[in-house]
Amino acid sequence: MGRIAVIGAGMGAMAAAARLAVAGHRVTVYERSETYGGAVGRYEREGFVFDTGPGLLHLPAVWRDLFVKTGKEPLEQCVGLVQVDPSSRHIFADGTAVTLPNASRAGVVSALDEALGSGVGERWGEFLGRARDAWERTRRPLLEEPLRADWQVLGRDPYPALRQRKLLRARQASTVAEIGAWELADPRLTALLDACALTYGLDPRHAPASAALLPYMEQTFGSWYVEGGMRELARAVYERCAARKVEFAFGSEVTRVLEKDGRAVGVELAGGAVAEADHVVAGIEAAGLVGPELWRDKDIRHQKGTGDGPLPGRFTVLLALRGARPASTVHRTVVHSPDAGAEAAAVFGGRTEMRPTVTVLRPGDPRTTPDDEHEAVTLTATVTGHGGAVAWTDTALRERYADALIEAADAAVPEIRDRVLWHQILTPAETGALPAPALAGAGGRYLHPANSTRLPGLYLVGGHAHPGGGLAHAGMSGALVAGLIVEGAGFRGSQ
């Protein structure tokens, strides 16, 4: 078997490394930082522990499959995996609120009807039925297979939008925003859908209607919490890699992918050292490592989004609170913006919106606090990315925006300001961009570069490659890259 050089120790890269090692390859992971996990980070201080990346897991089957395929110990034997129920509480701009159960479509419909009015839940349920159709039509070609050479077939939107008549003309929703306006027809349901899209780094005004499969996945397959925080999942994947003899070289920055006779043959490290390899797997954006000519061909796609600015990111406030967490507290609360349209325009227009949609995570996990008389709370909002018109390194701006999130979170955590011991701010300047999941429709503009490239021997994995961003999608990309290397170009995914 061959030598594999993996660039980066993110979740997708480690998922590929573990599978390749089990297949008999000699795998070395080169990571420029001193730790693993990529965006799945952790912040610890004075006995408080916080996730600095995703706080909940969706589609855990992706990671269960990794552990089944790479060893005897299943995922649940390596981490504590707890289903979050209720799944979430939503507080809308008009003051109404609803608490949604986990992985129960009937329960969601009932909760919406009871909280928001008769018929509202049924309308959402009918929408989820159409979203299910979109999921079933694209699940395999979009998520479980390498990106096809004829990727153009994914340019057509699979969402079966309702056909409506207006002024003697038929119209159908082609974007998330149009689904909200034309099919959901309730500002609170629209807020549910828009907030879900925004959380994944998508602009509801332009994202294709196929983004409907994102709330469908969450409400069908459920939300899960990893005891001790999501960093524990990263630890378990790292330990699985180590158990399968994957070598990790931390503090090793790759500066170039080596080519010979039109093929990738290894990597060059900062300082000039060379590591030869039969295959190279890039878990980072690789254009700067191989030269731009590789990325100019039309059959290697980039997610274009809707503007020329940087991809959005997350603004995060970690709060150490005095006082115990009430037993009845909901794990995740979403406090919706009073103007979702203005919020999206700011995020994707390079501006700050001081009334954002804020997600409040209150896990109530004793592993994350010094004792039972304290609480660790995380606030997040999707914001415009770093490197554009907004300088997230500006201390005054960071504090003003943190204050805006805390003000919004007061609806979920009463008297929050009086309870704060200290806070820590993380912005896109520290945590990077938020790549969205791949979506069908919109002529293929929401697809990502294929896992195999025009340079034989070089493969792409992780959020900036097919099938896009998100923890579940990263795990899928790892499986696809391993399959392509082990089985060759004819690999079409797990059956």
Side-chain angles (χ1 to χ4, degrees):
M1 290 293 180
R3 298 162 298 177
I4 311 290
V6 178
I7 306 172
M11 296 298 284
M14 289 197 296
R19 291 175 183 271
L20 289 166
V22 167
H25 292 282
R26 287 181 291 148
V27 183
T28 302
V29 177
Y30 299 92
E31 168 57 51
R32 68 178 180 178
S33 75
E34 297 299 331
T35 189
Y36 53 83
V40 184
R42 170 179 285 170
Y43 181 84
E44 299 183 53
R45 175 179 164 187
E46 299 173 8
F48 291 89
V49 177
F50 302 88
D51 285 319
T52 59
L56 292 174
L57 181 64
H58 306 292
L59 283 180
V62 172
W63 298 99
R64 289 191 179 110
D65 182 71
L66 172 69
F67 279 77
V68 167
K69 299 291 177 54
T70 59
K72 296 180 180 179
E73 304 85 4
L75 175 63
E76 281 83 354
Q77 191 172 321
C78 300
V79 298
L81 200 57
V82 180
Q83 196 168 20
V84 176
D85 201 7
S87 172
S88 57
R89 181 170 180 250
H90 294 263
I91 302 174
F92 300 105
D94 65 356
T96 57
V98 61
T99 300
L100 302 179
N102 200 10
S104 171
R105 177 173 168 181
V108 167
V109 169
S110 177
L112 289 170
D113 270 341
E114 182 177 349
L116 306 184
S118 178
V120 175
E122 182 179 358
R123 197 177 308 140
W124 182 262
E126 291 170 350
F127 157 72
L128 287 182
R130 295 188 292 277
R132 178 193 59 209
D133 291 343
W135 164 259
E136 292 176 346
R137 292 173 182 178
T138 58
R139 175 181 59 85
R140 183 160 182 79
L142 185 67
L143 302 177
E144 298 178 358
E145 294 182 354
L147 189 63
R148 311 167 51 144
D150 60 340
W151 53 263
Q152 291 88 345
V153 300
L154 291 172
R156 184 175 180 179
D157 200 313
Y159 178 76
L162 295 179
R163 185 176 295 274
Q164 300 179 354
R165 288 275 180 186
K166 185 172 183 179
L167 298 177
L168 303 179
R169 188 178 61 157
R171 66 179 186 181
Q172 289 177 281
S174 62
T175 67
V176 168
E178 288 175 349
I179 290 175
W182 300 350
E183 296 183 3
L184 299 179
D186 184 292
R188 297 159 301 184
L189 294 185
T190 298
L192 278 179
L193 181 57
D194 286 356
C196 183
L198 198 59
T199 297
Y200 282 95
L202 293 164
D203 185 344
R205 302 169 303 164
H206 302 286
S210 64
L213 61 80
L214 298 173
Y216 169 78
M217 285 192 297
E218 288 196 14
Q219 295 188 7
T220 300
F221 305 115
S223 300
W224 303 75
Y225 174 71
V226 178
E227 293 180 339
M230 197 63 68
R231 180 68 178 176
E232 286 300 294
L233 176 63
R235 174 197 56 77
V237 176
Y238 168 73
E239 291 180 353
R240 177 56 54 91
C241 286
R244 299 300 168 260
K245 309 302 182 185
V246 174
E247 295 184 4
F248 285 81
F250 294 110
S252 299
E253 181 179 3
V254 173
T255 57
R256 188 162 64 100
V257 173
L258 301 177
E259 303 176 45
K260 183 178 180 181
D261 299 328
R263 180 178 178 83
V265 294
V267 297
E268 182 178 313
L269 306 177
V274 168
E276 296 181 351
D278 299 289
H279 302 278
V280 176
V281 177
I284 63 174
E285 291 189 271
L289 304 179
V290 295
E293 66 276 2
L294 179 63
W295 313 98
R296 288 179 181 153
D297 196 275
K298 292 181 180 179
D299 62 5
I300 294 187
R301 304 294 292 170
H302 285 281
Q303 182 192 0
K304 294 182 179 179
T306 59
D308 297 326
L311 290 176
R314 287 196 181 95
F315 190 101
T316 302
V317 184
L318 312 176
L319 295 173
L321 303 185
R322 61 172 63 86
R325 173 185 184 270
S328 60
T329 298
V330 174
H331 188 123
R332 174 175 58 168
T333 298
V334 180
V335 183
H336 291 269
S337 169
D339 191 338
E343 180 180 20
V347 170
F348 294 91
R351 305 189 305 277
T352 54
E353 167 56 53
M354 289 300 176
R355 299 181 300 170
T357 295
V358 178
T359 298
V360 182
L361 295 180
R362 306 177 70 184
D365 184 347
R367 299 165 183 79
T368 64
T369 56
D371 53 52
D372 292 341
E373 295 305 313
H374 294 84
E375 184 180 3
V377 174
T378 301
L379 313 180
T380 60
T382 302
V383 296
T384 192
H386 181 65
V390 176
W392 287 116
T393 53
D394 184 297
T395 301
L397 173 62
R398 292 161 70 99
E399 290 295 342
R400 286 200 309 273
Y401 207 74
D403 193 64
L405 265 63
I406 292 171
E407 181 179 354
D410 185 68
V413 190
E415 301 178 345
I416 185 172
R417 292 186 185 279
D418 295 336
R419 297 179 58 195
V420 175
L421 292 170
W422 52 262
H423 70 273
Q424 179 69 29
I425 299 171
L426 298 173
T427 77
E430 293 86 34
T431 56
L434 179 61
L439 296 172
R445 292 194 303 275
Y446 288 80
L447 300 177
H448 291 258
N451 305 110
S452 56
T453 72
R454 291 184 62 81
L455 180 63
L458 174 63
Y459 300 85
L460 307 181
V461 72
H464 294 281
H466 179 73
L471 200 50
H473 292 71
M476 295 174 194
S477 74
L480 293 175
V481 166
L484 286 166
I485 292 175
V486 173
E487 299 187 25
F491 172 70
R492 298 313 304 163
S494 302
Q495 300 296 324

